[in-house]
């Protein structure tokens, strides 16, 4: 009996050691708290701002403004401040008043008698509307001089719902409302600019994937700049427009690019068309006002409907990331962390995962005075990964240090990565701990783009700093303008052997820095032979000079249905998992529900290319056509979907 007890004790001790060494997850450092909301209040949050007295102001898509007093207490107090407004998708506080961007105007809300309710609804400026349902207005955001910026969503086409149109001035634009109430067009080329933000006095915005936007992106906004979507160029010739690029120039340049590949080589006329590789940087090289994104966000990995940017100004109360930027995503109900730097006068940087698991789509964020982050949520009209239709939650750091990539910075010959804690030198000096690849997105009038021109980038060597908190990775082929996916699955922390909470960073390399390169003699080049990081299949699509992707999958007529392991890389690559899951509803129906329809494989393939939203009336967001999916891959996906019916 004594021996059995000893064995049991030894097993328990071993299990405890294994548990202690197990690497923590997001939720082990950042806790999601859902505050109590009084019955009957529906918070489809469109705007969120912390007021000087610590109260939280919330605007909703339903046209209400709420003030929450003592918002972090167990019994926050909600009071309605304003009502009867038109879809408020932004809120700002200035000099004792709240300002909101309604669908068609910037409105000042004033409580003159101090009773806690707005008495005056003052129109600061009203802009034109065509009446299209998708003409959302986002903002306002305060400039350093107290004036305001607002962004205007494009309308969508009558026949192709996803194709952006600018039916009235201001749609597809970011515009400026001066302190004396005057309207000033500022920049164009935006599609769905849901996240207009001011970071350290500089204007940024986020856009959503769609036509002319291969994936979500984060852009700095300069006066007169063009971000890539041509709809707003319809108004570039107006007398007060600062944008010098015209529609005629854009489409002439597009036709020129269609006759060349990404190396500038001529393509035979019979091979031209929408599938020809076209890249935004090619337009930038000819027209300086073209603004490249500071960061491309990988679709389906770091979100599907990019929302607001927020700067961590908590001085360490929200963790080790003071001065860095967080970006929300409405579709996948998550938040990413963004590390920005300026190289040769332009912003660029990396997107890194941060926290998932919110109850609804993350649209707005605001820091409380205690350093916690309020998260305003909605999925109405768009759909989201979270099960709830709307809500307010709070993200709180528990004071423990996560093992993360703190910064990722470009070097003349690779990247320097700084960590939040020292790394285990043996794992960090092993080249098999790393994997790097690079790819780009198309700039063309199709809904989104798969990653294309993907190449594995050889890691030549690494150098670990003396304090073991930095690793310099030297590569043999950095590609300007390309996204570089940096995987560090093998790197471990020195004190506890933890793996990184988030092992992947996606760095958009607009410019390669000048400077001294490391000598090979300064590098560690050993390999353990235990390669743990691999280039993920979702990025293995290359485009030949004729613009056609090389099919790497089995032939369409395979009799045996593919397994989940075989089809998952194809679903990831073609961004299918951004809106669908195998067993549950996300933005679109589950694949099991599709299988229940008993479509033939051929019918599913046709529906990938030509969706029929009327077949799914219970889903608010219709599926866009996906002509970029290779037919062999579509056939394999269809066969797998139908295998779920069994």
């Amino acid at each position: 009996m004594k021996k059995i007890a000893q064995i049991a004790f030894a097993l328990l001790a071993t299990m405890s050691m294994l548990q202690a060494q197990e690497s923590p997850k997001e939720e082990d450092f950042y806790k999601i708290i859902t505050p109590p909301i009084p019955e009957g209040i529906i918070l489809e949050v469109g705007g969120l701002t912390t007021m000087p007295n610590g109260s939280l102001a919330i605007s909703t898509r339903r046209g209400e403004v709420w003030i929450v007093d003592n918002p972090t207490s167990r019994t926050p107090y909600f009071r309605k401040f304003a009502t009867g407004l038109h879809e408020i998708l932004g809120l700002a506080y200035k000099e004792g008043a709240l300002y909101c961007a309604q669908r068609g105007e910037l409105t000042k809300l004033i409580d003159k008698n101090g009773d806690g309710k707005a008495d005056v609804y003052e129109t600061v400026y009203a802009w034109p509307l065509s009446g299209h349902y998708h003409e959302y207005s986002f903002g306002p955001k305060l400039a350093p001089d107290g004036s305001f910026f607002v962004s205007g969503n494009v309308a969508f086409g009558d026949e192709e719902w996803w194709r952006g149109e600018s039916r009235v001035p201001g749609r597809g634009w970011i515009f400026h409302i001066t302190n004396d109430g005057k309207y000033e067009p500022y920049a164009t080329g935006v599609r769905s600019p849901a996240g207009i933000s001011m970071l350290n006095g500089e204007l940024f915005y986020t856009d959503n994937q769609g036509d002319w936007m291969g994936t979500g992106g984060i852009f700095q906004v300069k006066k007169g700049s063009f971000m890539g979507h041509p709809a707003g160029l319809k108004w570039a010739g107006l007398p007060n427009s600062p944008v010098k690029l015209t529609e005629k120039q854009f489409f002439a340049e597009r036709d020129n690019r269609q006759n060349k590949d990404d190396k500038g080589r001529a393509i035979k006329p019979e091979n031209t068309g929408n599938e020809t590789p076209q890249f935004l940087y090619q337009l930038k090289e000819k027209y300086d006002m073209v603004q490249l994104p500071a960061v491309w966000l990988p679709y389906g990995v770091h979100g599907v409907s990019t929302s607001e940017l927020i700067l961590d100004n908590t001085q360490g109360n929200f963790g080790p990331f003071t001065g860095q930027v967080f970006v929300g995503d409405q579709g996948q109900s998550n938040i990413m962390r963004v590390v920005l730097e300026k190289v040769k006068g332009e912003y660029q940087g990396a997107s890194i995962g941060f926290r998932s698991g919110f109850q609804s789509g993350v649209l707005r964020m605001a820091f409380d005075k205690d350093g916690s982050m309020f998260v305003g949520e909605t999925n109405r009209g768009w759909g989201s990964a979270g099960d709830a239709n709307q809500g307010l939650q709070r993200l709180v750091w528990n004071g423990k240090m996560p093992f993360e990539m703190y910064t990722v910075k470009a070097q003349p010959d690779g990247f320097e990565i700084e960590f939040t804690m020292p790394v285990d030198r043996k794992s960090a000096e092993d080249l098999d701990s790393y994997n790097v690849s690079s790819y780009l997105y198309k700039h063309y009038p199709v809904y989104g783009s798969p990653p294309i021109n993907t190449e594995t980038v050889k890691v030549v060597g690494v150098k670990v700093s003396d304090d073991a908190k930095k690793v310099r990775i030297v590569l043999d082929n950095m590609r300007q303008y390309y996204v570089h996916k940096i995987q560090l699955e093998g790197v471990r922390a020195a004190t506890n052997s933890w793996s990184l909470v988030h092992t992947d960073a996606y760095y958009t390399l607009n410019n390669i820095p000048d400077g001294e390169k490391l000598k090979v003699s300064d590098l560690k080049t050993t390999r353990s032979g235990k390669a743990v990081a691999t280039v993920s299949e979702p990025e293995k699509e290359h485009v030949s000079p004729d613009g056609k992707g090389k099919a790497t999958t089995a032939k369409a007529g395979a009799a045996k249905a593919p397994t989940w392991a075989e089809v998952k890389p194809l679903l990831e690559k073609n961004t299918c998992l951004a809106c669908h899951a195998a067993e549950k509803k996300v933005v679109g129906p589950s694949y099991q529900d599709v299988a229940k329809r008993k479509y033939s494989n051929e019918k599913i393939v046709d529906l990938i290319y030509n969706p029929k939203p009327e077949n799914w009336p219970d889903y608010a967001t219709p599926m866009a056509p996906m002509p970029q999916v290779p037919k062999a891959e579509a056939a394999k996906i269809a066969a797998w979907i139908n295998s779920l019916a069994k």
Side-chain angles (χ1 to χ4, degrees):
M1 193 74 183
K2 182 178 179 182
K3 190 172 184 180
I4 293 174
Q6 289 174 336
I7 293 172
F9 179 79
L11 286 171
L12 285 171
T14 302
M15 289 174 64
S16 297
M17 288 177 62
L18 289 172
Q19 290 173 351
Q21 292 177 357
E22 184 180 349
S23 295
K25 309 299 182 185
E26 295 173 345
E27 57 269 25
D28 295 314
F29 304 98
Y30 288 90
K31 183 180 180 181
I32 297 175
I33 297 173
T34 304
I37 299 173
E39 187 176 350
I41 297 178
I42 299 175
L43 292 180
E44 293 174 350
V45 179
L48 207 60
T49 188
T50 302
M51 301 172 72
N53 66 355
S55 295
L56 183 69
I58 304 172
S59 68
T60 76
R61 293 192 61 181
R62 295 190 173 212
E64 300 171 336
V65 177
W66 292 85
I67 305 295
V68 185
D69 298 319
N70 301 315
T72 61
S73 70
R74 293 185 178 181
T75 56
Y77 179 70
F78 287 73
R79 54 187 169 92
K80 188 181 289 186
F81 182 75
T83 190
L85 300 163
H86 190 181
E87 198 165 41
I88 316 169
L89 295 177
L91 198 62
Y93 178 87
K94 175 187 171 184
E95 297 175 353
L98 287 169
Y99 291 77
C100 65
Q102 297 190 69
R103 180 64 73 96
E105 71 169 50
L106 176 62
T107 309
K108 182 179 182 181
L109 304 173
I110 309 168
D111 176 12
K112 293 191 73 172
N113 61 10
D115 66 350
K117 296 180 181 179
D119 312 298
V120 177
Y121 295 54
E122 178 184 315
T123 299
V124 179
Y125 186 86
W127 45 83
L129 292 172
S130 76
H132 188 275
Y133 83 101
H134 217 275
E135 287 183 343
Y136 305 117
S137 299
F138 304 100
K141 287 297 176 182
L142 277 168
D145 67 354
S147 58
F148 297 96
F149 285 99
V150 177
S151 59
N153 212 105
V154 295
F156 286 159
D158 293 325
E159 295 182 5
E160 295 174 308
W161 69 264
W162 45 270
R163 194 178 293 279
E165 299 177 356
S166 183
R167 301 181 179 184
V168 292
R171 297 294 114 192
W173 282 76
I174 291 173
F175 45 92
H176 183 214
I177 308 298
T178 64
N179 282 312
D180 55 357
K182 292 181 180 178
Y183 173 90
E184 178 186 27
Y186 197 79
T188 192
V190 308
R191 179 183 178 272
S192 289
I196 183 170
S197 304
M198 194 67 64
L199 305 177
N200 293 321
E202 295 182 290
L203 186 63
F204 286 78
Y205 97 100
T206 65
D207 218 322
N208 283 210
Q209 184 197 45
D211 60 317
W212 300 105
M213 289 287 169
T215 188
I218 298 169
F219 296 75
Q220 185 188 12
V221 183
K222 302 174 184 177
K223 189 173 184 179
S225 58
F226 171 74
M227 272 67 75
H229 196 286
L233 291 177
K234 183 176 181 179
W235 315 105
L238 293 180
N240 58 347
S241 167
V243 176
K244 303 305 178 186
L245 182 67
T246 67
E247 273 189 296
K248 184 178 180 180
Q249 288 173 318
F250 176 88
F251 285 105
E253 181 60 27
R254 174 206 168 194
D255 293 340
N256 178 53
R257 285 188 290 157
Q258 283 187 325
N259 292 317
K260 295 179 181 179
D261 66 10
D262 61 321
K263 300 281 193 292
R265 298 172 297 201
I267 298 173
K268 294 180 181 179
E270 63 267 23
N271 291 329
T272 61
N274 283 345
E275 290 303 308
T276 303
Q278 304 168 61
F279 304 104
L280 188 58
Y281 76 80
Q282 294 171 316
L283 194 64
K284 169 73 172 177
E285 289 173 343
K286 188 166 183 179
Y287 298 99
D288 188 59
M289 73 282 296
V290 174
Q291 185 67 48
L292 298 177
V295 175
W296 284 120
L297 298 164
Y299 191 79
V301 181
H302 285 179
V304 296
S305 298
T306 314
S307 58
E308 189 167 37
L309 296 166
I310 183 173
L311 181 73
D312 184 349
N313 58 3
T314 66
Q315 304 301 318
N317 290 325
F318 192 64
F321 307 118
T322 293
Q324 296 186 13
V325 176
F326 296 96
V327 60
D329 187 81
Q330 191 276 328
Q332 287 197 324
S333 306
N334 59 355
I335 297 174
M336 280 63 62
R337 180 166 56 90
V338 177
V339 181
L340 292 172
E341 62 173 334
K342 253 187 180 179
V343 177
K344 297 182 179 178
E346 295 290 335
Y347 280 104
Q348 59 188 44
S351 173
I352 303 169
F354 182 66
R355 188 63 165 96
S356 57
F358 294 95
Q359 67 183 9
S360 189
V362 176
L363 192 65
R364 298 290 176 248
M365 301 172 288
F367 282 111
D368 185 75
K369 286 188 170 184
D370 69 0
S372 62
M373 178 194 287
F374 281 104
V375 180
E377 304 159 350
T378 181
N379 77 358
R380 177 171 172 253
W382 298 312
S384 68
D387 294 330
N389 292 324
Q390 44 78 36
L392 178 71
Q393 293 185 293
R394 193 159 65 97
L395 192 59
V396 180
W397 180 48
N398 63 10
K400 297 178 182 178
M401 182 65 67
F403 181 43
E404 294 273 29
M405 286 180 264
Y406 176 60
T407 60
V408 182
K409 295 183 178 180
Q411 300 295 322
D413 51 4
F415 295 94
E416 181 185 76
I417 300 172
E418 184 176 358
F419 299 87
T420 56
M421 57 179 65
V423 298
D424 167 66
R425 191 172 291 273
K426 183 178 179 181
S427 68
E429 291 179 347
D430 178 6
L431 298 195
D432 284 329
S433 292
Y434 305 89
N435 196 286
V436 181
S437 58
S438 62
Y439 63 89
L440 198 51
Y441 296 102
K442 297 178 185 179
H443 180 233
Y444 67 151
V446 175
Y447 192 94
S449 167
I452 65 169
N453 288 1
T454 301
E455 290 183 1
T456 298
V457 183
K458 181 182 177 182
V459 180
V460 176
V462 298
K463 183 178 180 180
V464 180
S465 64
D466 292 340
D467 63 1
K469 290 194 72 174
K470 294 181 181 178
V471 174
R472 181 91 172 258
I473 305 172
V474 175
L475 307 174
D476 74 343
N477 182 28
M478 299 172 72
R479 292 196 284 179
Q480 186 180 6
Y481 305 120
Y482 278 66
V483 178
H484 288 66
K485 180 180 180 181
I486 307 166
Q487 298 174 275
L488 277 66
E489 293 183 17
V491 175
R492 297 290 183 265
T495 56
N496 46 31
S497 296
W498 285 350
S499 61
L500 288 157
V501 178
H502 299 95
T503 59
D504 299 347
Y506 294 79
Y507 190 103
T508 302
L509 189 68
N510 290 328
N511 289 300
I512 299 173
D514 297 325
E516 186 176 351
K517 299 181 179 181
L518 292 183
K519 300 176 182 177
V520 176
S521 58
D522 294 332
L523 304 176
K524 295 292 183 180
T525 58
T526 57
R527 289 187 179 274
S528 65
K530 299 177 182 178
V532 295
T534 58
V535 178
S536 62
E537 288 294 329
E539 293 166 4
K540 286 188 177 179
E541 177 179 330
H542 293 263
V543 172
S544 55
D546 66 359
K548 297 178 181 178
K550 298 178 182 177
T552 59
T553 60
K555 292 183 179 180
K560 185 179 179 182
T563 64
W564 167 248
E566 291 170 327
V567 82
K568 182 184 177 185
L570 305 182
L571 297 171
E572 290 176 336
K573 165 188 170 181
N574 294 298
T575 69
C576 306
L577 296 181
C579 297
H580 302 276
E583 299 177 353
K584 71 172 186 174
K585 170 184 175 181
V586 187
V587 177
S590 72
Y591 288 121
Q592 284 187 349
D593 286 339
V594 176
K596 291 175 183 177
R597 295 290 180 97
K598 297 183 178 180
Y599 298 132
S600 66
N601 289 1
E602 292 74 18
K603 180 64 174 177
I604 293 177
V605 171
D606 180 63
L607 289 171
I608 290 173
Y609 299 137
N610 302 288
K612 303 292 184 186
E614 61 269 21
N615 293 347
W616 302 91
D618 296 333
Y619 291 83
T621 305
M623 177 175 166
M626 304 291 283
Q628 67 269 33
V629 181
K631 194 159 188 178
E633 297 180 8
K636 201 166 187 177
I637 291 168
W640 173 77
I641 290 173
N642 276 333
S643 73
L644 300 179
K646 301 175 183 178

